[in-house]
Amino acid sequence: MLKTRDLKVRPREWTGRIRSESFDESKGTFDVVVTTGEAILRNDYMLWDGPYYEELGLKEGEVRLARLNSGRLNLLDNHGYANGADWGPSKYQTGNVVGVALANRARVEKIAGADALLSTFQVSRRDELAGLRTDLKDGVVAQCSPGYRVYLYEMTIAPLDGTPPTFRAVDWEPTEVSLTAVPAEEGAHVRTSAQSENPCRVIDRRPDTQQRTMKRKVKNAAGVEVEVEVPETEGDGTRTAVETPPAPVAAPAAPSDAERAAASAQGATSERARAEEIRTLTRTAKLPAEFGDNLVKTGTPIEKARAAIVEEWAKQGAPATPATPSDTTRAEVREVGNELDAMQVALIHRGAPHLVPVDKLTPQARSFVQFSLLDLARHLLEKRGERTRGMDRSKIVERSLMAASEFPELLANTASKSLRDQYEIMPNTWQAWCRRGTLPDFKIMSRVGLSGAPTLEEVPETGAIKRGALSEMAEKYRLKTYGKIVPISRQAIINDDLSGFTRIPAAFAVSASTLIEDLVYSILTTNAAMADTVALFHATHKNLSSGAGSALALAGLGAARTLLRNQTGQDGKYLNLNAAYIIVPAALETTAEQLTLPFGAVVATNINPWAGRLKHITQPRLDVASAIIWFAVIDPAFGDTIEVGFLEGQSGPRIESRTGFDVEGLEIKCALDVGAKAIDWRGMVKSAGA
């Protein structure tokens, strides 16, 4: 019978290797073999009352790579210990951070025929680390010791000859990598008790004949204590020093290997979304918070979590309604929120009240409005069980900025939401007449305009449908990344300066919106060549109105409309396009309003046929090139104009943060992956305005 045990385990260490030959002196980057998963003999009594082997699984779904790929996993000096020889107390100083893992560089490769987990790191450019960079390059410092947390072990079958059993970590996560002179070997030490423990489940896959027994004292019928042997997982025969106290509700079953793999592949962002939705559903069902926390900690996929919540809900006698809350219920749940959410809302209200007005504050958020950044840092430290009495401000900030603290997550989430909310309310003009596209990666993509589709032909009663081909004149473009990093100093946090987490992200949102507008309208003004080697606006394309009658007036609008109506596809068939917008420089804004506003006329000869049928877009970027040139474009629903592409899963700028290298504090990075390209000339007309 399969048996499981729930434990509390501390972070552990492994043996890693630095590839000195990969060191790039110009960038300060190098590759690290984090682990090969080779079994290490341990004797720390954390999992077994004797020696045992520990393996780290490297199959798909067995290792959580979100933190290693986030760009926020630190490279430390000797695990941050003050004295690596006798494992003295941790210093917890930012000076112990000597580098960081580069984002999205973790991978599993074959080394000598076996799987190995590798990642690329970058060492800090601090002057005092010049010698370390030289040692890394020369291979003098060639060993490292990754720290990691394990959430699920599988105890595999051991021979009956006394050979130690094997515990294979099938759900684990790297938490840091340290340069060290003596990495973990047999009997490696466990991290100090100051390190927080995490729940861990052990699945015993040995047959019942191999189940170990433990001696337990009981009273016999005469009242005398005697020792008896019981299965190790029975009653209080387990090692109570590392047991998890029983939860008030039954813990959900552990997910399967396939489910763990799917959950692990979601990455850091989707992991937070999964946890948030599970906790939201738990609150909606009015179940204890511990139930939702168990689902989150065990990596349960959202569909299975929803089913578990419904089942538990039914056990408690709740009405049989769908587990997915209604819109009204979601609104009520959002008002409840959790503590970190409430802190985030309070910070945004203080720094950018226009994004979260006072009437939108929840009662829980109101309780944190008067908290300074230092107050929030102190509060979160005390929630983790750390004593802050007598701790100076600088020390509080230093402790709060550690990777294990919730404080950096709070600041990062606040900055991200400030950016997102500000970006959503930013005015722009391109969305009205351009098409939004999604690109899966940064490779060059081809786009064929709608006008490139072949004509449908009649099919005889006994005939076959003929084959057609799309136009070979496909427009090509790719995404580019734009970004900037802004440091937030420790002093700014102590001084309660919220600009780094509210105003600066809001400014990033303005920059991102401005960048997209620049990309789009530069296409109109530069008039670059299309795939057919002819300029976007050209007489050959029959979309250039010049000479007399091209000025912005009724006659000019008529000429532009005629050009659009007469456009044909690649097969020569008329497309019958109609102008939906005119794009004018600021100098022509008043004239454009007179031509497009829906004012009635008293005399029939004064009727404006464009009134109420055409919208105008004023774009001052056009004035730089000319104050009289204007454009007529179609609605993007009826044809192609310009496509603005974003990376799949991202519709705007993103915010990331990490503990700073050059400053004692945080670094906030804003990045935007975007590209723009004219897809078809047929839906746009340029009027010279003469």
Side-chain angles (χ1 to χ4, degrees):
M1 182 179 65
L2 194 66
K3 292 181 171 60
T4 63
R5 286 185 294 156
D6 289 322
L7 310 174
K8 288 281 191 178
V9 297
R10 303 187 185 109
R12 303 171 70 82
E13 294 154 14
W14 200 264
T15 299
R17 179 171 61 85
I18 297 169
R19 286 183 164 179
S20 58
E21 69 277 6
S22 67
F23 188 81
D24 187 329
E25 193 168 4
S26 62
K27 299 178 182 178
T29 60
F30 55 93
D31 289 342
V32 170
V33 180
V34 179
T35 178
T36 59
E38 183 180 353
I40 284 185
L41 184 63
R42 295 191 182 274
N43 194 18
D44 52 23
Y45 300 98
M46 180 178 290
L47 302 174
W48 194 250
D49 56 353
Y52 62 91
Y53 288 101
E54 183 186 29
E55 293 181 353
L56 296 181
L58 295 177
K59 295 180 181 178
E60 185 176 1
E62 290 185 335
V63 53
R64 304 185 186 185
L65 297 178
R67 184 179 296 189
L68 190 56
N69 276 325
S70 67
R72 296 171 58 185
L73 186 137
N74 289 330
L75 180 69
L76 303 180
D77 179 8
N78 205 33
H79 299 294
Y81 285 102
N83 186 341
D86 59 9
W87 304 93
S90 300
K91 291 189 292 186
Y92 298 116
Q93 293 181 356
T94 55
N96 285 333
V97 179
V98 297
V100 69
L102 298 184
N104 301 316
R105 299 293 291 273
R107 68 274 189 193
V108 175
E109 296 181 359
K110 291 287 186 181
I111 296 181
D115 288 336
L117 175 61
L118 290 85
S119 188
T120 303
F121 284 76
Q122 181 178 33
V123 69
S124 171
R125 297 189 301 271
R126 298 200 305 265
D127 292 340
E128 63 268 25
L129 297 180
L132 175 61
R133 290 191 291 271
T134 300
D135 288 343
L136 288 170
K137 176 184 175 183
D138 296 341
V140 175
V141 176
Q143 294 178 314
C144 60
S145 180
Y148 58 97
R149 293 181 183 273
V150 180
Y151 304 98
L152 180 63
Y153 280 110
E154 285 186 354
M155 184 179 179
T156 58
I157 298 174
L160 299 178
D161 58 1
T163 302
T166 298
F167 287 79
R168 179 180 175 84
V170 295
D171 186 4
W172 64 282
E173 176 184 34
T175 56
E176 51 90 359
V177 174
S178 293
L179 305 177
T180 180
V182 183
E185 296 293 348
E186 295 184 1
H189 293 275
V190 182
R191 300 294 295 276
T192 64
S193 58
Q195 298 295 320
S196 60
E197 297 174 334
N198 62 274
C200 176
R201 173 164 290 186
V202 178
I203 299 178
D204 195 337
R205 296 197 178 278
R206 297 172 302 157
D208 289 340
T209 55
Q210 283 196 297
Q211 300 295 330
R212 296 176 64 93
T213 60
M214 298 185 66
K215 291 184 178 181
R216 175 182 175 190
K217 288 185 178 182
V218 297
K219 290 184 178 181
N220 59 17
V224 180
E225 279 193 346
V226 296
E227 283 189 345
V228 297
E229 287 194 346
V230 297
E232 187 180 52
T233 53
E234 179 183 320
D236 57 2
T238 55
R239 291 182 290 280
T240 57
V242 291
E243 278 190 326
T244 303
V249 293
S256 66
D257 292 345
E259 291 166 338
R260 282 199 311 272
S264 177
Q266 292 174 350
T269 302
S270 57
E271 173 64 19
R272 287 194 295 269
R274 181 187 70 86
E276 181 179 351
E277 183 168 356
I278 288 176
R279 291 190 172 107
T280 296
L281 292 172
T282 303
R283 291 193 298 268
T284 303
K286 301 188 183 301
L287 296 176
E290 292 86 348
F291 187 83
D293 291 341
N294 284 334
L295 293 170
V296 172
K297 292 174 182 177
T298 55
T300 306
I302 188 62
E303 293 301 327
K304 187 171 182 179
R306 185 179 289 112
I309 291 172
V310 172
E311 183 179 352
E312 188 64 31
W313 200 5
K315 289 180 182 178
Q316 298 192 7
T321 56
T324 303
S326 64
D327 290 341
T328 303
T329 306
R330 288 186 185 276
E332 294 173 353
V333 171
R334 280 196 296 269
E335 288 185 359
V336 177
N338 57 40
E339 195 170 68
L340 278 178
D341 292 336
M343 293 179 181
Q344 174 182 306
V345 171
L347 283 178
I348 296 176
H349 169 73
R350 289 181 54 213
H354 67 285
L355 297 179
V356 181
V358 65
D359 59 324
K360 299 297 183 182
L361 290 174
T362 65
Q364 194 175 17
R366 290 176 187 271
S367 65
F368 290 108
V369 168
Q370 301 302 322
F371 277 51
S372 67
L373 289 172
L374 196 65
D375 293 334
L376 294 175
R378 187 192 305 272
H379 177 77
L380 290 174
L381 285 177
E382 291 178 349
K383 290 280 288 186
R384 294 177 61 220
E386 296 197 32
R387 295 175 59 87
T388 61
R389 184 175 180 179
M391 191 181 294
D392 60 46
R393 297 187 173 196
S394 180
K395 191 66 174 179
I396 290 175
V397 173
E398 181 182 308
R399 295 285 298 122
S400 298
L401 290 178
M402 290 179 54
S405 170
E406 294 85 0
F407 190 59
E409 178 184 354
L410 169 64
L411 299 182
N413 290 345
T414 300
S416 182
K417 191 176 190 317
S418 299
L419 170 80
R420 186 169 59 252
D421 291 351
Q422 183 67 40
Y423 180 74
E424 290 177 353
I425 65 174
M426 281 298 299
N428 63 72
T429 60
W430 67 268
Q431 292 195 46
W433 63 279
C434 297
R435 186 176 72 178
R436 179 188 293 268
T438 299
L439 280 71
D441 49 41
F442 291 87
K443 298 177 182 177
I444 295 178
M445 301 297 294
S446 298
R447 289 286 191 266
V448 177
L450 296 179
S451 61
T455 302
L456 299 180
E457 298 182 12
E458 180 183 355
V459 181
E461 183 176 351
T462 59
I465 299 178
K466 297 180 180 179
R467 297 183 181 274
L470 294 174
S471 170
E472 295 182 358
M473 293 297 181
E475 301 300 325
K476 299 179 180 181
Y477 79 106
R478 67 180 182 87
L479 296 177
K480 295 182 179 180
T481 300
Y482 304 84
K484 187 71 72 174
I485 296 176
V486 175
I488 309 297
S489 68
R490 178 171 55 93
Q491 289 84 349
I493 298 176
I494 294 175
N495 295 338
D496 197 33
D497 184 358
L498 294 178
S499 63
F501 315 105
T502 55
R503 294 184 59 83
I504 290 178
F508 277 147
V510 175
S511 298
S513 181
T514 301
L515 171 64
I516 298 174
E517 296 269 284
D518 289 341
L519 293 175
V520 168
Y521 290 102
S522 67
I523 295 175
L524 298 184
T525 57
T526 57
N527 197 26
M530 302 287 284
D532 61 356
T533 71
V534 179
L536 171 60
F537 300 104
H538 194 276
T540 303
H541 288 161
K542 300 178 182 180
N543 65 348
L544 181 61
S545 176
S546 59
S550 63
L552 185 60
L554 289 180
L557 289 174
R561 176 166 62 176
T562 300
L563 289 174
L564 286 172
R565 291 291 192 193
N566 286 296
Q567 285 288 0
T568 59
Q570 68 168 355
D571 54 5
K573 302 294 184 180
Y574 286 105
L575 299 176
N576 195 25
L577 302 175
N578 188 31
Y581 301 93
I582 56 173
I583 307 172
V584 302
L588 295 179
E589 183 173 11
T590 301
T591 303
E593 288 180 340
Q594 292 173 338
L595 292 170
T596 58
L597 291 180
F599 293 145
V602 178
V603 182
T605 56
N606 292 336
I607 293 177
N608 176 12
W610 298 98
R613 300 175 56 190
L614 192 66
K615 297 180 181 179
H616 76 277
I617 296 173
T618 302
Q619 184 47 252
R621 289 171 175 81
L622 302 182
D623 291 79
V624 178
S626 172
I628 60 174
I629 295 177
W630 57 279
F631 302 84
V633 297
I634 64 173
D635 189 313
F638 302 105
D640 291 303
T641 53
I642 291 176
E643 178 175 291
V644 178
F646 296 91
L647 187 63
E648 187 175 15
Q650 298 177 6
S651 58
R654 66 184 187 278
I655 282 283
E656 297 177 5
S657 68
R658 68 176 182 179
T659 302
F661 288 162
D662 302 325
V663 297
E664 289 187 321
L666 292 177
E667 290 179 338
I668 303 293
K669 178 180 71 175
C670 177
L672 174 65
D673 302 313
V674 67
K677 182 69 173 70
I679 304 302
D680 200 338
W681 64 80
R682 297 171 177 86
M684 298 180 284
V685 169
K686 176 181 178 180
S687 295

